[in-house]
Structures are given as structure tokens and as C-alpha cells.
Amino acid sequence: MKRFLDRLPSAATPLLIQYKWYGMTGIAFVAAALLALGGAQLSARALENVVARETESALITEGLDWAEVETDGLLLRLSGEAPTEASRFNAISTANQIVSAERILDEITVKPATEIAAPDFSMEILRNGLDVQMVGLVPWEFDLSAFQARVEAVDAELSVENMLETAGYPEPFAWASATDFALSALASLNAAKISISPGRVNVVGLTGSEDERDRIRIELARERPRDVIAALDISAPRPAISPFTLRFVLDEDGARFDACAADTQDARSAILNSARAAGASGRLECIVGLGAPTPDWQDGVVAALDTIAQMGAGTVTFSDTDVTMVVPATVGSDVFDRRIGALEGRLPDAFSLDAVRLPPSDSQLAAVQDQAEFGARLLENGAVMLSGRLTDARTRDAVRSLAQANFGPDAVTMAARLDPDLPGGWPLKALLAVDVLSYLNTGTVRVVPDRVEISGVSGLTDASDQISRLLADKLGQRAVFALDVTYDEAFDPIAQLPTPARCKGWIDEIITDRKITFDPGSTSITGDAIGVLDEIAEVLRGCGRMSMEVAGHTDSQGRLETNMRLSQQRAEAVVAGLMARGALVSEFVAKGYGPEFPIADNATESGREDNRRIEFSLIGASLEAARAELAPEGNTPAEEAELQELSDESELAIRVSPGEDAALRPRTRPDRAE
């Protein structure tokens, strides 16, 4: 440039200097503009970064980390996949707290909704007497009107309140079976809460007595469908006893309760301990019930039992708070006075004691006893014989009518003659004799002037309690009566209900006397054994569904392979024969064991005959039910032995010698009850 200026004429020099100044000024202006524009761009970008960072932080704080944030100048772009429409709206609202709504670009997508799962169907039926409520959610396909009609058919007086709702989904598996079983439970219980879900029914119910509770449990367990799980929580309240009665006797026959009642389990234990200390032995019964007249019942009874034990003989009767103690003449008067005085000091204030010592001579009473007597006798065939003496024709007609009402008009034979000189109260005792007879299955009630004697057999576990309560109530606390009533399970309708253990026992009784036999080398049941099969089928038809193993056994003669096959085929033939006779054998298993389990010596003909047999054994749920039925608490020695046999059989393992063909080795037998 300098060289260029030096070469110009001197006249042009001022113009060039002026041009140079203006050029430098323009360059500076342009540079300043460029710098200002770059600074503005940098400031805008820094602001975008701040906005994006603040928005991302706010979204993460709200749990919306699925959202993506981008800035475009003054605009904020939101993208990503929201799980729900509500989440998308929440993301936009969160961004709007930082950037105005008109600057937000919504590019968020929403995850497609999945198919809605069917709801959990359930129903509860609540029954309180004649009031029934139904609440819950049931499938749309469930015929609600028909189900309500079936509920109303349980009792014409039922008032049914239907609060069920429906949902448009098909019935789940075992829903129909569960509702059918629930109806059975509803019909059996007057107070119940029945919860129904697919394949499951929970029943919580209340019955009036323990016998009714046991009967309903057995019936419902028998009716339960195979595809339904049932939980039965059925209870019975403590019985109401009125009057609250206890009678304890200590005489030449030993110490015993004719009747016993306690208000708590602790009181029951204390009373029974005192009775044992007085000489009572064996299994003692004492009912825990409602109606005790005083909280001091236990203290009063224990004091009286201790007194009887100290005197060595006597009878004490409690009827509510009235206490009567009768002591024979064999107890000395000094002992009687001393012990009764001590008892009066021990008895709580609520009790009233009446103590009597019988006179030392009863020769006159014995003479009258030989002349005056009335007897009522119940025979095994149900016939009733009435004999002895009654005061007049009116009394005789009343006694006959009562007996006919209790036992049937054709069952009663009256053979009593009239004697107007009988002791006072004779008609009442005669009528009571007939009433007492109704508590027995067989037995005799004998009325003599100084006492009433009852002996016999009953199917009621508390027959002695009920008879004692009746006589004490009608004849007074000083009444003298002797009870010798034994309980026989064979007459107990509850005890004779079919259970797996009882059904197997009945089958065992049949095949113990007569075996199921086959033609030699054949699976055909012989003619003599057809009757045995008929009897077993009849038992099984009454027992309902059970799980059993029918096992075939042979002697050791012949090839093992042949014996194994023959025993299997014979077991299968028995199951088929039972099915043809209408027995429920769907849960029966036929199993051939060949000669593996001999019960006698195969070296003798009689032993081989014993080893050729068919056995029936409980398995599965029926075996568990039998074990529960024979639980150790309160068992008789026979029941203990049967329970031990069940346990022993469940642990049985079969050993096979190494030399046998593996294909012929029988598998380990399942748990079974011989």
C-alpha cells in the first residue's frame, strides 16, 4: 500500500488519505456488529440449556423419567412413550411450570392399553335364621335368578336379600360346583357365613349341639365335589343346662357320677380331680355348659366331694344352689356331724345344704319293698312290659297312654294290678319310670317305696346326666335312686354314621368270616363268593365316596410272574364286580402283590389257603380321615390299637431281593390301613 501511495501524484494524496480513514471506520463497525450477533446467539443457547435442564429435573422428580426433552429456540419439545394418558398429561403440566404452554410441542405417544383381566369372582351368603343376604361379584353367564330361586327353595319362609353384582366374563373353572356345594351348606345350617370363590368354599357355621355339629360335618364332607376345596369351621355353643345338676355316688359299687356339670374347663378339671381322689376311676364325663347359678360352683362341688370321700360313703346332689347329701347308716353319727359341720363352713354363701343320715334299720322298708313294686322294661325288639302295682285305674290308663305315646301303641303290654294302699307319690314315680325308659335302648326301671332303680343300655352319651336331672327335678333333692346305665356305641345314631374307618371295619368283618374266592388259576369269582361281594357293595353304597386299595395276594406256588399277573387281575375283577353292583369305586385302586406279603406259612396247605386272599385298605384322603377319627385323645384301648396299626402300615416298605426281575418287582405300597 505504501508503495502504491508513493507512486501517486501529489494532488491525489489528500483524497487517498480521506478514503483510508473511512475504510477503517467501516471495518470496525462491521466487526462490532458481528461480535454483538455472536454474543446474542451464545446467550440464547445458554438459556435453552438452562430451560432443558430444569425441565428434565422436574420430570424426574415427578417420576416421569420416560419423557425426553429437546429445545428448539424458544420452543420446548416433549417426546417419549407414556404408560397412560394420565402420565402424558402430567408430563405436559410439569413442563408448563417452567415454560409457557404455547412454547411446548407435545410429541408424546401413549402406550397401547392391554386386555383387561377378568375380575376375581366371589360371593358371600350370610344366613341368620330365616334371613339370608347374598353379596359379591358373579359372572354374567351365571344364572342369578335360578340361583336365588334355589336359595329360596331351601325354606319357604326364607327372606332373601340379593345384593350381587355381575361382570361380563365367562364362569371360571369349578364355579358351578362351588355354588352347588354352598347351597348344601346353606340348607344344613341356620346360622352361617358361606364364602364362595372358584373351586373353593369356606363355611363358618353354628349348630345347636355337638351331635348336630358332627352330623353336619360328616354330611358336608361326603357331599363335597371333587373339584372343590372346602374349609368347614362349624362349632357348637356350650349347652344350656337347667337346672345345673351334679350327682356323685360313693357306695359298695365304687365312686361315680350319675350326672356332672361344670361352668368352665378349669372347674371341670378340679371337679374330676376331686372325684378321682374320692375313688372314681376310668373315663369320667362332665359337661361344660351354660347356666351355672353362681361363680362359686367349682368351690361348692369340690367341698362336697371331699366330704363324701372323708365319710367313705354317701350321695350328694346339686340342683342349682340346692345341695342334698344322703349318707347311709354305716357312717357313724359323730363322723356325720363333724364332717357336715365342716362342709357348712366351706360351702360358699350361695349354696343351701340339706344333709340326711339314713336310719340304722331298714327292715320295715324292706318288707314293704317286697310287697309293693312297679316295673317298666324295654326289650331289644322294642317291646315294653309294664308290670307290678298301680294305685287306681286312672293311673294305669295314664301310664299306658304315656308308654304308647313314647314307644307306639302296639309295643306296650300292660300287666299291672291295682292296689290303693301304695305309698304316697306312687303315680308320679310310675309315670317317671316310663319317661326314664325312653332314655334307654334296653333296660328296666324299678319303683319301690324307698327308691327308684334304673339299669340298662343307652346310645346317649349323657343318658345318666339327663335321667338324674329329670328325677331330681320331679322327685326333689332328697329322692333316692340308683343308676346303672352304660353307653353302647352300637345304639348311638351319631357314632354309627358311616366314616372311612367304620366302613373298612364293616368290610373286614364280612371278609373275615367268608373270603372272596376264585376258581384255580382263574380271575372268575366263584359262586359262593358272589354273596360276599353283594354284602361289601351294600356297605359301600351306604358309605359314599372313599379312597381304597383292593389288594390281591397269592401263595408262593408257581412262577412269580404268573402270580403277580393273577393277583392284579383278581383285584381288578373285584373292583369291577363292586362297580357293577352300584358301589362308588372311582377312587379305588386295584393292586396285585402276588406272594410278597404272606400272612401264613406257605409250606402248609392251610397256610397257602390263608395267603390266597383279597384285602381292602384305606388310602389317601380316607386314610387321613380315619387317622383323625382315631386321634389319641380319649381313645379306648381298641381304638388305640387300631390307630397304631394305621401308623405301622403307613410306614411299611417292601424289600425286593436283588435276584428278582426288576419288571416283576412290586412298587412300595401306599399308606394303607389293614
Side-chain angles (χ1 to χ4, degrees):
M1 176 64 73
K2 184 175 181 299
R3 291 179 180 177
F4 175 74
L5 291 177
D6 289 342
R7 292 176 181 175
L8 289 177
S10 59
T13 300
L15 293 174
L16 290 174
I17 293 171
Q18 186 178 3
Y19 169 77
K20 180 178 180 182
W21 184 87
Y22 282 112
M24 294 299 292
T25 302
I27 291 172
F29 179 78
V30 171
L34 292 175
L35 288 173
L37 179 60
Q41 290 179 344
L42 290 174
S43 297
R45 183 159 298 177
L47 180 60
E48 290 176 1
N49 291 336
V50 171
V51 170
R53 186 168 57 253
E54 292 295 328
T55 304
E56 288 177 348
S57 176
L59 291 171
I60 292 173
T61 301
E62 293 294 328
L64 305 170
D65 51 357
W66 51 265
E68 299 178 0
V69 179
E70 294 181 6
T71 55
D72 185 3
L74 298 179
L75 301 177
L76 182 71
R77 181 178 288 106
L78 294 178
S79 60
E81 185 178 64
T84 63
E85 183 63 32
S87 297
R88 184 191 72 83
F89 180 78
N90 192 14
I92 296 173
S93 299
T94 302
N96 187 219
Q97 297 174 6
I98 300 171
V99 180
S100 58
E102 62 272 13
R103 292 171 53 195
I104 298 175
L105 296 179
D106 178 14
E107 297 181 357
I108 299 173
T109 60
V110 180
K111 186 177 182 180
T114 58
E115 183 179 355
I116 301 176
D120 294 331
F121 291 113
S122 64
M123 174 174 27
E124 280 195 352
I125 304 177
L126 309 175
R127 179 175 183 181
N128 185 11
L130 296 177
D131 295 326
V132 175
Q133 292 180 328
M134 301 189 299
V135 296
L137 181 67
V138 300
W140 179 267
E141 295 180 357
F142 182 59
D143 193 340
L144 195 54
S145 299
F147 183 76
Q148 180 170 343
R150 293 173 66 189
V151 172
E152 293 171 343
V154 169
D155 191 321
E157 303 301 322
L158 282 183
S159 173
V160 181
E161 184 178 0
N162 186 352
M163 294 181 287
L164 293 171
E165 297 182 358
T166 59
Y169 292 88
E171 288 188 9
F173 172 75
W175 175 261
S177 300
T179 54
D180 289 344
F181 180 67
L183 281 177
S184 299
L186 183 70
S188 301
L189 297 164
N190 287 326
K193 174 185 176 183
I194 305 171
S195 303
I196 308 163
S197 57
R200 185 176 183 89
V201 177
N202 295 336
V203 179
V204 179
L206 192 66
T207 61
S209 66
E210 294 183 355
D211 289 345
E212 183 184 7
R213 176 199 63 193
D214 295 340
R215 176 182 60 79
I216 292 175
R217 281 178 176 173
I218 293 171
E219 290 177 353
L220 291 181
R222 187 180 302 154
E223 295 175 7
R224 178 187 65 83
R226 297 183 63 181
D227 55 354
V228 171
I229 299 173
L232 305 179
D233 183 9
I234 303 174
S235 58
R238 290 187 295 167
I241 302 174
S242 180
F244 217 69
T245 307
L246 182 143
R247 178 180 168 88
F248 183 76
V249 180
L250 177 58
D251 56 18
E252 61 274 8
D253 294 328
R256 63 193 179 277
F257 282 109
D258 285 342
C260 183
D263 53 344
T264 66
Q265 287 291 346
D266 289 342
R268 176 182 180 274
S269 298
I271 291 170
L272 295 184
N273 288 338
S274 294
R276 294 188 187 281
S281 60
R283 185 172 180 176
L284 303 180
E285 295 291 344
C286 194
I287 299 173
V288 178
L290 303 174
T294 170
D296 298 324
W297 177 262
Q298 169 187 333
D299 296 336
V301 172
V302 169
L305 296 185
D306 290 347
T307 301
I308 290 290
Q310 291 163 358
M311 290 189 292
T315 299
V316 61
T317 303
F318 283 75
S319 180
D320 288 336
T321 56
D322 294 328
V323 184
T324 302
M325 185 169 290
V326 179
V327 178
T330 54
V331 177
S333 58
D334 57 336
V335 175
F336 174 78
D337 293 339
R338 185 170 65 254
R339 296 303 180 190
I340 294 302
L343 176 60
E344 289 175 343
R346 288 185 60 186
L347 277 177
D349 294 338
F351 293 98
S352 174
L353 174 63
D354 181 13
V356 177
R357 178 175 175 267
L358 296 177
S361 174
D362 57 354
S363 57
Q364 294 179 343
L365 291 177
V368 176
Q369 175 180 332
D370 291 338
Q371 299 174 2
E373 178 180 333
F374 172 77
R377 184 182 180 192
L378 176 59
L379 305 179
E380 291 185 2
N381 61 2
V384 175
M385 303 292 295
L386 304 176
S387 60
R389 300 184 186 186
L390 294 172
T391 53
D392 51 42
R394 184 178 178 182
T395 300
R396 183 169 59 187
D397 292 341
V399 170
R400 180 194 292 112
S401 297
L402 179 60
Q404 290 175 340
N406 287 347
F407 302 99
D410 298 331
V412 179
T413 300
M414 172 62 77
R417 67 186 183 91
L418 304 183
D419 183 355
D421 297 326
L422 293 171
W426 196 266
L428 175 59
K429 292 181 179 179
L431 290 170
L432 278 175
V434 176
D435 260 345
V436 167
L437 206 62
S438 64
Y439 291 89
L440 307 177
N441 289 88
T442 61
T444 302
V445 182
R446 181 171 173 261
V447 178
V448 293
D450 63 326
R451 65 186 182 279
V452 178
E453 299 174 352
I454 303 103
S455 62
V457 178
S458 175
L460 300 174
T461 57
D462 60 342
S464 293
D465 282 355
Q466 297 190 48
I467 294 172
S468 296
R469 201 171 295 126
L470 174 66
L471 294 178
D473 182 50
K474 299 299 183 182
L475 299 179
Q477 299 306 309
R478 291 197 175 190
V480 178
F481 53 90
L483 273 175
D484 183 17
V485 177
T486 58
Y487 167 74
D488 191 342
E489 187 179 13
F491 296 113
D492 190 337
I494 298 300
Q496 291 306 307
L497 288 174
T499 64
R502 292 194 187 109
C503 290
K504 181 189 176 299
W506 296 333
I507 293 173
D508 288 345
E509 290 177 3
I510 294 172
I511 61 177
T512 297
D513 296 333
R514 292 177 296 160
K515 295 175 58 177
I516 299 176
T517 55
F518 299 82
D519 292 327
S522 170
T523 61
S524 299
I525 301 175
T526 60
D528 294 337
I530 296 298
V532 179
L533 215 58
D534 291 339
E535 291 181 30
I536 296 174
E538 183 178 357
V539 169
L540 291 175
R541 285 195 297 269
C543 292
R545 184 183 295 113
M546 286 198 310
S547 300
M548 295 196 81
E549 178 192 87
V550 179
H553 299 270
T554 68
D555 57 29
S556 61
Q557 290 188 328
R559 296 180 58 203
L560 176 60
E561 180 179 4
T562 301
N563 286 331
M564 294 295 294
R565 182 173 60 253
L566 186 60
S567 63
Q568 177 68 34
Q569 292 172 348
R570 287 179 172 177
E572 292 171 352
V574 171
V575 174
L578 293 174
M579 182 173 63
R581 289 162 173 78
L584 298 177
V585 296
S586 58
E587 297 182 8
F588 276 39
V589 175
K591 182 67 176 178
Y593 291 101
E596 295 299 309
F597 297 97
I599 60 174
D601 188 0
N602 275 308
T604 66
E605 179 57 36
S606 61
R608 290 191 293 272
E609 174 64 24
D610 291 338
N611 290 332
R612 296 191 293 269
R613 67 195 188 278
I614 293 290
E615 295 178 337
F616 290 77
S617 309
L618 297 176
I619 58 175
S622 296
L623 176 61
E624 296 303 320
R627 286 174 174 162
E629 180 184 352
L630 299 173
E633 183 177 357
N635 278 349
T636 64
E639 290 171 335
E640 290 285 359
E642 188 172 355
L643 179 61
Q644 184 60 44
E645 187 176 1
L646 285 173
S647 301
D648 292 343
E649 287 296 329
S650 67
E651 298 172 0
L652 181 62
I654 299 177
R655 299 180 179 178
V656 181
S657 61
E660 293 176 349
D661 186 351
L664 302 180
R665 296 178 185 176
R667 298 176 182 175
T668 301
R669 297 166 77 182
D671 286 358
R672 58 197 297 272
E674 288 292 334

